[in-house]
Amino acid sequence: MRQLLLDLLPESTPTLANFIPGANEEALSAFSYWLAAPEGEESAFLFWGDPGSGKSHLLQASGFFYLDIKQDRACANLPETASHLAVDHVELLAETGQIALFHAFNQIHARRGKLLVAAAAPPAQLILREDLRTRLGSGLVYRLNTLSDAEKKTALAGIAATRSLPLGDDGLDYLLSHASRDMRILAATMAALDCYSLEQKRPLTVPFLRAMLGNPLRESCLEP
């Protein structure tokens, strides 16, 4: 049976409201305060943590100009006049990209703007130019923890309840065991489950989930 094409599943636009904090309440609260704080109070904010902890979600939810270093290691697409910038996967910066971001940081600070950064490790452990690493660590730094299986199950149960999906403990356990571990993709899978079950007019039993996760969804279920 073929794996579900999870990367084609619909995903909702990342917002602070649809971020599932789990053990990250303090980090989310500090981030929300920083976003709302007057310009110039604190220029930099850095999230670090393992993949799947929600760093990219929060960067995109900020509304800042978003730059993914996975796609642009030299910062070639870095806007010269940006005053609110979100830079993802900063640990992957090439040397030219590090120089560009260093200058961007100084310009943003001078404009009393804000720089939001996500990294795989805390600033002290990043293998970057010392001047850039020091600046990235000069602001607020928070670790994001990945959700535990119990927290993911609780979150999925909440999504199921919101969508009026009759997905019991057995169904949730099966989904957690056979779908992606990434919470964003799990949430998108719930949306596809909703679409697919309505289309097929079948209850969400474990056998139905097994069949669904083994076959691509119809195009109608992949539309945002």
Side-chain angles (χ1 to χ4, degrees):
M1 300 174 76
R2 291 183 292 177
Q3 280 289 68
L4 181 65
L5 301 179
L6 292 172
D7 57 329
L8 296 179
L9 287 173
E11 294 189 42
S12 58
T13 301
T15 66
L16 296 185
N18 62 24
F19 179 75
I20 302 169
N24 298 306
E25 289 283 4
E26 181 182 351
L28 183 61
S29 177
F31 180 53
S32 299
Y33 178 83
W34 180 76
L35 286 176
E39 305 296 306
E41 279 197 6
E42 190 73 64
S43 295
F45 196 114
L46 184 144
F47 283 120
W48 67 276
D50 294 331
S53 57
K55 302 186 300 295
S56 297
H57 181 117
L58 291 178
L59 263 64
Q60 293 175 52
S62 69
F64 293 3
F65 181 91
Y66 176 76
L67 183 66
D68 188 353
I69 301 305
K70 277 188 174 180
Q71 310 300 325
D72 187 6
R73 297 189 64 213
C75 284
N77 296 314
L78 183 67
E80 295 182 1
T81 59
S83 59
H84 292 76
L85 180 64
V87 181
D88 209 349
H89 303 105
V90 72
E91 70 277 1
L92 301 179
L93 278 166
E95 179 66 22
T96 52
Q98 294 178 45
I99 295 171
L101 186 58
F102 172 78
H103 291 304
F105 179 97
N106 291 336
Q107 292 169 1
I108 288 171
H109 182 74
R111 297 185 186 114
R112 300 175 68 82
K114 294 183 179 182
L115 174 66
L116 175 60
V117 175
Q125 296 178 20
L126 294 175
I127 303 175
L128 298 171
R129 291 168 51 104
E130 180 64 19
D131 50 7
L132 174 60
R133 191 171 59 80
T134 300
R135 279 164 172 73
L136 294 179
S138 66
L140 299 173
V141 178
Y142 279 87
R143 178 177 184 175
L144 287 181
N145 299 290
T146 54
L147 296 178
S148 67
D149 283 350
E151 289 170 332
K152 288 179 181 179
K153 186 174 180 179
T154 299
L156 290 176
I159 294 172
T162 299
R163 291 181 171 273
S164 299
L165 288 171
L167 196 61
D169 280 346
D170 289 347
L172 291 171
D173 289 338
Y174 185 88
L175 189 61
L176 283 169
S177 299
H178 293 81
S180 169
R181 309 298 293 172
D182 189 299
M183 192 61 215
R184 291 178 302 164
I185 297 177
L186 281 169
T189 301
M190 296 293 289
L193 276 169
D194 192 8
C195 173
Y196 201 59
S197 63
L198 288 172
E199 186 179 90
Q200 297 297 312
K201 297 181 174 61
R202 293 175 56 187
L204 292 178
T205 61
V206 170
F208 179 77
L209 289 176
R210 187 181 296 117
M212 178 190 170
L213 291 174
N215 294 280
L217 299 182
R218 292 190 181 182
E219 185 177 351
S220 61
C221 294
L222 297 174
E223 294 175 354

